[in-house]
Amino acid sequence: MHIVLNRKKIVHFLIFIALVLIFIHCVILGIYYYIGDPDKFDFVRMFDLDMERNVPTLFSSLILAISSFLFYLLSRSPTEQKKGSRKYWLGLSFVFIFLSFDESAKIHEKLGDFTEQFVDASGFLHYPWVISYSILVLILAAFYLRFFLKMEKKVFWSFIGAAVMFLGGAIGFELLGANESSQHGTATVLYSVLYTIEESLEMFGVIYLIHILLGLLDKTNIKIEKG
């Protein structure tokens, strides 16, 4: 299989799109708070990072799907197959295609509605889906720990960096936003700041992951141009 990918151009393009989306979001959000009337500024939803089925959601789903595809390409690499790594890369491909679908379908919110029956959904657990997903993250980490520890230190710490960035947003700032939402609602400036940081960290965490995966693919029979 011979696929040519330009690593530098792909990553720079994705960073540019993410920055544009965040900038538009911040500008529109600022005007939204200045006007103070949601009915007069309803199209903020099209670029609000906290809303569903809009431009940022589409972008987030896309980069997660790209990550899934790159994991799949790694699983097809003869080099990785000789190492016995195929099943691990393929497993991560399935995880990320699920996350891509979840980003649009909001499965985690439906799971949160179910979890809410068993926990007090207030304070930091105002969005109880984080409990279920945190457990799944720990299970996944335990399953993949030995696999990642066998990697070169530079690659290993790169994956850790991407994970910390993504999970710091998806779970860490989600908890902070949940607490603010529980205490003061979702119409506060602080809540908007928290979810803006949350979604930004998620996007840049995935883009950094794509950068890492393209670097690994460069060592296979898939040609990666560095720009």
Side-chain angles (χ1 to χ4, degrees), residues 80 111 212:
E80 296 299 321
L111 183 60
I212 298 167

Side-chain angles (χ1 to χ4, degrees), residues 54-86:
N54 60 6
V55 178
T57 300
L58 178 63
F59 177 72
S60 294
S61 295
L62 177 63
I63 57 177
L64 285 166
I66 290 173
S67 299
S68 173
F69 177 64
L70 295 178
F71 277 123
Y72 171 73
L73 290 181
L74 275 172
S75 75
R76 293 289 304 275
S77 164
T79 304
E80 296 299 321
Q81 289 180 8
K82 288 179 181 178
K83 294 179 183 178
S85 303
R86 184 177 185 274

Side-chain angles (χ1 to χ4, degrees), residues 68-198:
S68 173
F69 177 64
L70 295 178
F71 277 123
Y72 171 73
L73 290 181
L74 275 172
S75 75
R76 293 289 304 275
S77 164
T79 304
E80 296 299 321
Q81 289 180 8
K82 288 179 181 178
K83 294 179 183 178
S85 303
R86 184 177 185 274
K87 62 181 180 181
Y88 293 103
W89 295 125
L90 198 57
L92 288 171
S93 179
F94 281 117
V95 168
F96 274 79
I97 200 63
F98 169 77
L99 291 176
S100 175
F101 179 71
D102 181 35
E103 187 67 26
S104 299
K106 300 297 180 184
I107 298 173
H108 61 279
E109 292 187 2
K110 297 179 178 64
L111 183 60
D113 293 338
F114 173 77
T115 309
E116 193 173 349
Q117 302 175 54
F118 308 100
V119 298
D120 177 20
S122 62
F124 292 102
L125 297 180
H126 186 56
Y127 303 138
W129 67 264
V130 296
I131 299 173
S132 304
Y133 271 53
S134 294
I135 293 172
L136 291 175
V137 167
L138 291 174
I139 293 173
L140 195 66
F143 181 78
Y144 273 89
L145 182 60
R146 182 179 296 181
F147 170 65
F148 280 110
L149 286 175
K150 291 180 180 179
M151 295 180 177
E152 299 175 14
K153 285 188 177 180
K154 183 179 179 180
V155 177
F156 171 77
W157 287 112
S158 294
F159 273 115
I160 292 296
V164 168
M165 199 180 302
F166 180 79
L167 295 175
I171 294 179
F173 274 88
E174 179 79 5
L175 290 172
L176 296 175
N179 185 56
E180 174 64 15
S181 174
S182 176
Q183 293 187 17
H184 305 108
T186 60
T188 67
V189 174
L190 178 57
Y191 177 77
S192 296
V193 171
L194 289 172
Y195 79 69
T196 298
I197 296 174
E198 171 199 335

Side-chain angles (χ1 to χ4, degrees), residues 39-64:
D39 294 330
K40 293 181 180 178
F41 213 63
D42 193 52
F43 69 88
V44 69
R45 296 174 179 273
M46 286 303 299
F47 289 94
D48 192 328
L49 298 179
D50 198 40
M51 295 294 178
E52 304 174 16
R53 298 179 181 86
N54 60 6
V55 178
T57 300
L58 178 63
F59 177 72
S60 294
S61 295
L62 177 63
I63 57 177
L64 285 166

